[in-house]
Amino acid sequence: MSLISPWRADFPGILALAAEGQTYLDSAATAQKPQAVLDALLGYLAGGAANVHRAQHLPGERATRAFEATRDKAATWLNAASREEILFTRGSTEALNLLAYSLEHLLQPGDEIVISALEHHANLLPWQQLALRRGLKLVVLPLDAAGSIDLAHAAQLIGPRTRLLALSQLSNVLGRWQPLRELLAMARTHGALSVVDGAQGAVHGRPDMQALGCDFYVCSGHKLYGPDGVGLLYGRNQALAQLRHWQFGGEMVLDADYQSARFRPAPLGFEAGTPPVSAVIALGAALDWLSAQNQAAVTQHEATLHAELLAGLAARQGVRLLGQPQLALASFTIDGIHNADLAHLLTEQGIAVRAGHHCAMPLLKSLGLSGAIRVSLGLYNDGEDLTHFFDALDQALELLR
Ligand SMILES: Cc1ncc(COP(=O)(O)O)c(C=O)c1O
C-alpha cells in the first residue's frame, strides 16, 4: 500500500518507534506528538520554569502569559463564546469527575441521568456513582446494529425526568460519530443539561461549541497530539455558573478566614493548586499545530487509510467487526481465535494495537465478548503501517489456525 503521510516526518516518536521496528496503531489510546509540541515543552522547562498566577517576577509573568495564551487558543479552537468558558483539567476523566461532583447539588432522588450503551468507563462510572449516592436513575440508551445510539428509543427514554444527558461524540470501540444534534435537541426540549465526551472526537475535525450546542464538552491533550496530564473542559457560561466548587486550595479563593472562604468563579475557581503548567503550554503548541494543518487534507488522508483498513479486514476469513466503524479505528474479533493470543503474536511482530475491553466493559459484555482487538489510526500512519499490520496478522492467523 503506497499511501504516504505528509505529516509523518513531523513526529519524532513515530519515527523512533519505526526505527525500533514498531508499527504504532494505537492513537486512540494516546497519540504521538509533533516536534512543535516537544519544543514548547522543553522550551518552557529549559527556559526557566515558574508557577502561574502568583509571582510578579519575570519567569512567573512569562509562564502565566504562556499558560493563559493556551486558554485563548482553546477558546478559539473550540469556538467558545469566551475564554472564561475554558477550564484546564488533568484530562477527560478528571473533567467528567469534576462535573459529576459539581452538578450533584442540582439533582434530586428520582431524577434521571441518561448515558448510552457505548460509553467509556470515564463517562459511565462518575455518573453511575453519582446515581448511587443520590438515589438517581441511570438510563442507558440502546444502540442500533451499526453502533449508533438508536434515536427512536432515545426519544422514548429522554423525557421530563431527564436532568442530564452525558454522551460520547465518537465511540472509542465502534468508531462512529453519534447523532448528537438530535440527542442534544431532545435534552434541550426537556430542560436537561448536556455533557459531551469529546475524548475521541475532538481530534477528528474541529469541534465547534456553537454548532454543537452542548452545555459541557471534555477532551484530553494527549489524544490531540499534545501532552498527557492536561485536558480541556468547556462549559457554557450559564452552565458553568451552576457548578459547585470541588477542589479547594491555592489560587481558587477570593478571600479566606479560618472558618469560611469565598471562591473565584470559573475558570480559576475550578483550577485549585498548581496546574500542569508545562502541559498546558505544550497543549497550546498542539492546538497551534492542529489549526495550521489543512483539515480537509487530514480528513481525506484518514478516510483513505480507514477504508484500506476496513477492506483489508474484510478480505480476511472469520473477521468480525464490532459495529460499522466510520473513521479512525476498527475493533474486531476473529472466529475461533482468542483476542489475547492474537494480540500476543501481533506484539511479537512489532505491531502496537490494543486488545481487551477498551474501558467499555458493559458494551463488550452486551456484545457477548470479553475483549477485541482495536487498530486505531493517526494522521502520521501510512500505507506501509497497514502493510506491516496485515502481514503480521496473516502470519499470526497461520500459526493460530
Ligand atoms: C471515549 C473516551 N472517553 C474518555 C476517555 C478518558 O480519557 P483520559 O484517559 O484522557 O482521561 C477516553 C480514553 O481513552 C475515551 O476514549
Side-chain angles (χ1 to χ4, degrees), residues 124 157 213 304:
L124 158 64
L157 292 168
T304 308

Side-chain angles (χ1 to χ4, degrees), residues 139-161:
V139 175
V140 182
L141 302 180
L143 310 178
D144 63 19
S148 292
I149 297 168
D150 185 314
L151 286 174
H153 273 104
Q156 289 164 5
L157 292 168
I158 298 171
R161 303 193 80 121

Side-chain angles (χ1 to χ4, degrees), residues 41-92:
L41 200 54
L42 193 63
Y44 161 71
L45 293 171
N51 215 325
V52 290
H53 302 137
R54 292 155 168 81
Q56 293 82 10
H57 50 65
L58 174 77
E61 255 184 48
R62 201 159 47 200
T64 302
R65 236 181 298 122
F67 178 93
E68 287 299 328
T70 300
R71 206 183 302 278
D72 292 321
K73 292 172 190 179
T76 304
W77 187 69
L78 289 168
N79 196 19
S82 75
R83 69 190 309 282
E84 284 76 28
E85 293 184 329
I86 305 297
L87 281 59
F88 296 122
T89 67
R90 268 84 182 166
S92 301

Side-chain angles (χ1 to χ4, degrees), residues 106-113 135-138 160-163:
L106 300 174
L107 301 165
Q108 307 303 326
D111 284 350
E112 295 182 357
I113 295 179
L136 314 174
K137 185 169 171 202
L138 190 67
R161 303 193 80 121
T162 307
R163 304 307 314 137

Side-chain angles (χ1 to χ4, degrees), residues 28-29 90-94 96 120 122-123 168 170-172 197 199-200 220 222-223 354 374:
R90 268 84 182 166
S92 301
T93 302
E94 189 184 73
L96 291 162
H120 187 281
N123 196 35
S168 172
L170 177 69
S171 161
N172 65 310
D197 173 0
Q200 293 296 335
S220 299
H222 68 100
K223 296 186 201 281
R354 180 94 183 265
R374 181 185 71 188

